[in-house]
Amino acid sequence: MSDSADHPDSADRTDGTDRADSARGATARAVARRLTAPLGVGTGVAAAAGYVAAVDPHRPGHYPACPLLRYTGLYCPGCGGLRGLHALCHGDLAAALGANALAVAGYAAFALLWAVWTVRALRGAGGVSPLPRPVHRWALGALVLAFTVVRNLPAGSALVP
């Protein structure tokens, strides 16, 4: 009968197994470290969306009023964004788009970029650059400006929350 302690290769097999377990543990820790930021951001956004879903922005007193709307009567690009998120959380896409179509597009863009960031972090490929190219910033600024101007014109009444 052969005892494994008497076998000359038994120490090597144990060390190899320990090294493999150690490598798997290091890999798991590295993946967890890479996912910390995307999962933290996702958790924060989910908590905020959950709050907006639970506390109806249509009822006064729960959220501050838009100062631009209050003092000038003009709708800012964010007016209706919370109502749109509330409707979106309750599965009413038509009401969400009616409240603020630009905000709904922004929520979709955020979800897509967050998913790309998470997958890239999981694969170890790095994150998504938080700073878009200057041409993208200018285009986004022009889009937001156009949306704001059009929603405050009589012809853009469909964009008013």
Side-chain angles (χ1 to χ4, degrees):
M1 280 194 243
S2 168
D3 189 347
S4 64
D6 295 333
H7 195 332
D9 292 334
S10 65
D12 291 339
R13 279 186 272 153
T14 303
D15 290 343
T17 303
D18 290 343
R19 277 186 253 140
D21 288 343
S22 178
R24 277 192 292 265
T27 301
R29 284 189 299 276
V31 169
R33 193 175 326 112
R34 288 192 310 261
L35 287 175
T36 299
L39 293 180
V41 169
T43 301
V45 169
Y51 180 79
V52 172
V55 180
D56 190 358
H58 291 96
R59 299 185 62 211
H62 294 289
Y63 300 100
C66 173
L68 184 69
L69 181 61
R70 174 178 275 174
Y71 296 118
T72 67
L74 297 174
Y75 293 100
C76 78
C79 281
L82 289 177
R83 287 173 277 188
L85 181 59
H86 180 78
L88 203 56
C89 288
H90 289 275
D92 191 354
L93 181 61
L97 289 170
N100 190 328
L102 186 64
V104 172
Y107 303 147
F110 172 81
L112 177 66
L113 289 174
W114 180 83
V116 168
W117 181 25
T118 304
V119 169
R120 288 179 56 90
L122 186 62
R123 292 181 178 168
V128 176
S129 173
L131 297 174
R133 295 182 191 153
V135 68
H136 297 137
R137 288 189 294 237
W138 281 102
L140 181 61
L143 176 68
V144 170
L145 180 63
F147 177 78
T148 304
V149 169
V150 170
R151 82 185 314 202
N152 285 293
L153 295 175
S157 63
L159 298 176
V160 172

